[in-house]
Amino acid sequence: MHKGVWFLSLLGLGAVLALGVALLWLALGSEGITPPQPAQEAVSWTGLASPTALEDAGRRGLERARQWAPDAFLVWVKGSWQPNGEWAQATFPPIAWSLYYYSPAKAEVASAAVRGDELFWMPPTASSETFDELLPFPPPYGVDVAWVSFRGAGGDAFLQQHPAATVQYRLRTEAGQLTWVIVGVEGDASFQVKVDAISGLVVP
């Protein structure tokens, strides 16, 4: 008899535990909790916010890159911003930066995304291509000059016609020239301006 009572008590305890697990699962589901999502390659900043200085982002990104590979150097920078109709008041675009680093010893490229006080490290990938270091960095003419040049070269008109556009900024070497490439994109519509990061002049 004692064995039967013990067995029934054990069954009852198991049922209570199962019910508790089920209720916890439903509660978590009702809160909309989802599994962590994989990190994105680039970070986009929506709207106006405190900008992250490119020089500061580059310093922090290089420190992290040198932990990965002591010979790593900067090869490409990009960022994006969705002005949301407030672009006319912005003299310095608030951007989250993605910085790409190459390690000749590893033959790999890795990147760091810097947004405010946060830094997100992206896993390296193998590369059969070799790269030149992005120099000088930061460039004599920064993203503020690139932004003004973009607006003056037709970007204002494009943003007026496409108020939901995203503006993308890329700093890279093209034909041996350190160049800002600024692109406004909304759907199939786009508008691009190139600016020499050494002279500050718009490149045809």
Side-chain angles (χ1 to χ4, degrees):
M1 180 177 297
H2 292 294
K3 289 185 178 180
V5 171
W6 177 84
F7 180 70
L8 290 175
S9 299
L10 186 61
L11 286 178
L13 179 61
V16 170
L17 289 175
L19 179 61
V21 171
L23 290 174
L24 178 61
W25 183 84
L26 290 173
L28 291 176
S30 66
E31 293 296 325
I33 297 176
T34 56
Q37 300 300 311
Q40 299 299 313
E41 181 182 0
V43 177
S44 298
W45 194 277
T46 301
L48 292 173
S50 299
T52 300
L54 181 57
E55 182 175 7
D56 179 55
R59 176 185 56 79
R60 292 159 57 194
L62 184 59
E63 288 176 357
R64 178 61 182 86
R66 290 286 169 81
Q67 295 175 16
W68 159 63
D71 66 335
F73 55 80
L74 183 64
V75 296
W76 190 34
V77 176
K78 70 178 181 180
S80 62
W81 172 43
Q82 189 173 11
N84 286 341
E86 298 178 324
W87 52 269
Q89 287 76 43
T91 57
F92 195 104
I95 301 173
W97 294 107
S98 291
L99 306 101
Y100 293 78
Y101 299 91
Y102 175 66
S103 166
K106 293 178 177 290
E108 293 178 338
V109 175
S111 65
V114 180
R115 182 180 61 190
D117 294 332
E118 300 175 301
L119 186 147
F120 305 90
W121 181 249
M122 311 300 172
T125 57
S127 176
S128 58
E129 183 180 357
T130 58
F131 300 88
D132 293 325
E133 186 172 1
L134 200 64
L135 290 173
F137 185 86
Y141 289 90
V143 68
D144 53 338
V145 173
W147 167 235
V148 171
S149 299
F150 171 79
R151 293 183 58 183
D156 270 6
F158 178 83
L159 293 176
Q160 288 171 358
Q161 297 170 7
H162 302 87
T166 296
V167 182
Q168 302 172 350
Y169 304 83
R170 305 166 194 163
L171 180 63
R172 63 192 186 193
T173 301
E174 291 190 351
Q177 184 178 42
L178 191 61
T179 304
W180 283 105
V181 181
I182 313 97
V183 185
V185 180
E186 184 184 30
D188 295 333
S190 64
F191 180 76
Q192 175 177 288
V193 173
K194 293 184 178 182
V195 178
D196 187 325
I198 304 299
S199 68
L201 300 176
V202 173
V203 178

